[in-house]
């Protein structure tokens, strides 16, 4: 199972300047390679390499390995583009967004990530330093910092390439690790149903409610602040916007990691599987008024589902996705389905048997029952492998983030 451990580099000013020059050179070369590939409509690695390899090395002063990675990165970016076009992620053929993506070559940001293999990067984990190739020559003793858990994972399981990343003036290395999976549990005792929501991020069939009211209040406050700063449109307002642009996403990701770790740890401890709703395409299916759209589209339920899935694979916990239809209207006691059963967002009262419960807890019990029924019919775990996007797309592999190491209760 491939995971990515991210460590923070602590370069000196001279080392940081060399790293920045390296990223700029590699991405300028990748943009030029992209233009040649687009002009000749040649997007395969080996045929394209025969045309551009020599000039990439001589024109930008790149080494042999760096030049090959630049060419491969360009080809992977076009592979990602074709996949997005085929999936309809860039609109219909002929639409403005579709044309904008297909009528000109891909351009790479000056500080876009650059892959490194073991010939270009060596790790000295006990000393917490790396030796890394740059356009100014090889730089040794570049310090890095990481949690003890990350260092242990790097020591035991690091395998393959690492990516050099510059984000908001900070330097990171994302190292690929091949982590072994636990033996899957093929005979779970039961299932732990999880109802995902906006007000309550996750509610379990055990009755545990992981409320998201605090997160929603923070999101509303951040949204209001962004609106004010955008209206001001002054240099200082722009600086504040740039500084805060990823803050909300980091907070939401941290909370999702903690919830996922807690859910998987509880299921593993009790010998149960995990039951989730299949919410694919919910944004297209649901019609909301304008004030509700921001809340829906900032809801990170796909991310939470992915975190639960990959952590479950790591521990051998089976995961089953069920049809979410009518889970919030069905009585968990008698099975009666009625829209009127859902009295309010938080209250469920069955019109048939009089059963009263928290609405999300009732839904999670229905999800658990459906998963158990599917499993008894022979369903298999639907926890997928961590998604891999070819280079050129964001989020290439599942990452281990600092929240995994910080959180006290749930574990990876």
């Amino acid at each position: 199972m491939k995971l990515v451990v991210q460590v923070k580099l602590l370069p000196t000013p001279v080392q940081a300047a060399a790293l920045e020059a390296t990223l700029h050179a590699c991405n300028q070369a990748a943009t030029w390679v992209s233009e040649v590939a687009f002009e000749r409509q040649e997007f395969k690695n080996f045929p394209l390499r025969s045309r551009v390899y020599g000039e990439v090395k001589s024109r930008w002063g790149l080494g042999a390995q760096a030049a090959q990675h630049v060419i491969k990165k360009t080809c992977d970016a076009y592979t990602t583009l074709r996949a997005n076009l085929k999936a309809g992620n860039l609109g219909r053929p002929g639409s403005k967004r579709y044309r904008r993506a297909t009528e000109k070559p891909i351009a790479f940001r000056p500080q876009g990530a650059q892959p490194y293999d073991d010939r270009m990067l060596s790790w000295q984990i006990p000393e917490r330093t790396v030796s890394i190739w740059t356009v100014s020559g090889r730089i040794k003793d570049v310090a890095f910092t990481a949690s003890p858990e990350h260092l242990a994972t790097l020591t035991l399981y690091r395998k393959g390439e690492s990516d050099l990343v510059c984000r908001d003036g900070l330097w990171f290395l994302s190292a690929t690790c091949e982590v072994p999976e636990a033996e899957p549990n093929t005979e779970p005792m039961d299932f732990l149903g999880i109802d995902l929501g906006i007000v309550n991020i996750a509610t379990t069939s055990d009755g545990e409610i992981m409320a998201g009211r605090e997160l929603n209040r923070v999101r509303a406050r951040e949204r209001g602040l962004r609106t004010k700063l955008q209206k001001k449109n002054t240099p200082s307002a722009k600086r504040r916007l740039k500084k805060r642009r990823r803050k909300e996403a980091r907070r939401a990701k941290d909370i999702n990691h903690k919830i996922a770790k807690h859910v998987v740890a509880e299921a593993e401890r009790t010998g149960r599987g995990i039951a989730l709703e299949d919410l694919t395409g919910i944004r297209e299916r649901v019609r909301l008024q304008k004030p509700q759209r921001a809340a829906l589209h900032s809801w990170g339920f796909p991310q939470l589902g992915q975190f639960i899935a990959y952590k479950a694979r790591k521990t051998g916990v089976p995961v089953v996705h069920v049809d979410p239809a009518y889970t919030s209207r069905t009585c968990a006691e008698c099975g009666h389905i009625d829209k009127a059963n859902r009295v309010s967002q938080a209250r469920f009262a069955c019109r048939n048997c009089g059963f009263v419960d928290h609405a999300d807890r009732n839904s999670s019990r229905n999800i658990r029952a459906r998963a158990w029924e599917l499993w008894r019919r022979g369903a298999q775990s639907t926890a997928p492998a961590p998604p891999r996007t070819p280079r050129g797309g964001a989020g290439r592999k599942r990452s281990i983030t600092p929240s995994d190491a910080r959180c006290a209760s749930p574990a990876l």
Side-chain angles (χ1 to χ4, degrees):
M1 176 180 180
K2 290 188 183 297
L3 298 180
V4 173
V5 173
Q6 182 174 267
V7 302
K8 183 179 180 181
L9 294 180
L10 304 172
T12 65
V14 174
Q15 293 171 341
L19 294 175
E20 186 172 7
T22 301
L23 284 190
H24 284 197
C26 289
N27 286 294
Q28 287 175 1
T31 299
W32 177 79
V33 172
S34 173
E35 292 171 355
V36 173
F38 185 83
E39 179 183 352
R40 297 180 177 274
Q41 292 295 296
E42 181 58 77
F43 304 118
K44 293 186 178 180
N45 187 16
F46 291 105
L48 184 60
R49 184 185 300 177
S50 65
R51 297 182 181 275
V52 301
Y53 175 73
E55 188 164 353
V56 167
K57 287 182 62 179
S58 60
R59 186 172 171 182
W60 283 278
L62 303 185
Q65 292 298 112
Q68 292 187 43
H69 282 299
V70 162
I71 297 167
K72 186 176 185 299
K73 180 170 77 169
T74 304
C75 295
D76 287 344
Y78 278 101
T79 300
T80 302
L81 175 62
R82 288 196 301 271
N84 283 327
L85 293 173
K86 185 177 181 180
N89 296 334
L90 298 174
R92 297 179 180 179
S95 66
K96 183 178 180 180
R97 189 180 178 196
Y98 190 98
R99 293 197 309 272
R100 190 165 60 243
T102 57
E103 291 179 353
K104 60 181 180 181
I106 293 174
F108 292 83
R109 293 180 294 106
Q111 292 187 333
Q114 176 63 20
Y116 279 73
D117 58 25
D118 287 342
R119 296 184 182 181
M120 304 165 64
L121 174 70
S122 61
W123 295 77
Q124 294 81 45
I125 296 176
E127 293 80 18
R128 299 194 185 186
T129 61
V130 295
S131 172
I132 187 169
W133 173 87
T134 70
V135 291
S136 303
R138 196 171 187 95
I139 299 178
K140 298 183 179 180
D141 299 325
V142 181
F144 72 86
T145 182
S147 69
E149 292 86 351
H150 289 182
L151 291 173
T153 304
L154 285 171
T155 303
L156 296 173
Y157 306 121
R158 191 190 67 80
K159 183 178 180 181
E161 297 178 357
S162 304
D163 284 353
L164 177 65
V165 180
C166 181
R167 187 166 59 241
D168 295 336
L170 302 176
W171 293 92
F172 301 92
L173 276 174
S174 298
T176 306
C177 296
E178 191 75 40
V179 179
E181 298 179 17
E183 191 70 25
N185 180 8
T186 57
E187 297 182 357
M189 302 292 294
D190 199 350
F191 278 84
L192 181 65
I194 310 294
D195 179 70
L196 305 180
I198 296 176
V199 176
N200 299 316
I201 297 178
T203 304
T204 72
S205 54
D206 289 346
E208 186 174 5
I209 299 175
M210 302 170 202
R213 295 182 188 276
E214 181 183 354
L215 178 60
N216 290 330
R217 283 196 298 268
V218 171
R219 282 176 171 168
R221 186 169 66 247
E222 290 286 336
R223 192 159 54 244
L225 179 60
R226 284 198 301 269
T227 301
K228 291 179 182 178
L229 293 174
Q230 288 165 355
K231 286 182 179 178
K232 279 183 175 294
N233 200 32
T234 60
S236 61
K238 291 178 181 178
R239 284 196 299 271
R240 288 191 66 186
L241 278 170
K242 185 176 181 181
K243 184 177 180 180
R244 302 179 70 89
R245 60 179 175 165
R246 292 193 179 97
K247 188 173 182 180
E248 181 182 333
R250 289 196 300 269
R251 183 183 290 109
K253 187 175 184 180
D254 180 71
I255 291 173
N256 281 339
H257 264 298
K258 290 176 180 178
I259 292 174
K261 290 166 72 174
H262 179 68
V263 166
V264 173
E266 180 64 18
E268 182 185 17
R269 183 185 68 83
T270 56
R272 290 181 290 180
I274 296 174
L276 294 171
E277 296 172 288
D278 183 5
L279 297 176
T280 305
I282 189 172
R283 288 188 171 93
E284 289 73 26
R285 298 197 305 267
V286 175
R287 298 178 64 88
L288 295 173
Q289 296 178 356
K290 190 172 182 179
Q292 298 172 300
R293 293 173 192 166
L296 176 69
H297 291 288
S298 63
W299 181 27
F301 66 87
Q303 184 185 73
L304 176 56
Q306 290 174 2
F307 287 173
I308 291 174
Y310 95 81
K311 294 175 194 295
R313 279 178 62 89
K314 190 166 182 261
T315 57
V317 174
V319 177
V320 172
H321 288 81
V322 304
D323 185 358
Y326 304 110
T327 53
S328 62
R329 301 179 183 179
T330 303
C331 177
E333 290 292 325
C334 69
H336 177 67
I337 302 174
D338 192 338
K339 184 177 181 180
N341 286 349
R342 187 72 179 259
V343 179
S344 65
Q345 183 278 324
R347 188 167 182 268
F348 181 92
C350 180
R351 301 296 179 180
N352 181 52
C353 68
F355 172 70
V356 177
D357 198 0
H358 190 284
D360 293 339
R361 188 184 299 117
N362 177 78
S363 297
S364 64
R365 291 179 60 190
N366 289 324
I367 294 167
R368 183 209 67 81
R370 292 186 183 186
W372 186 239
E373 182 64 27
L374 285 174
W375 189 264
R376 287 191 296 182
R377 292 179 182 177
Q380 300 296 315
S381 175
T382 53
R388 292 192 61 183
T389 305
R391 294 192 203 284
R396 176 163 64 88
K397 306 178 191 76
R398 175 63 48 232
S399 297
I400 303 177
T401 66
S403 62
D404 288 287
R406 280 200 310 271
C407 183
S409 51
L412 262 173

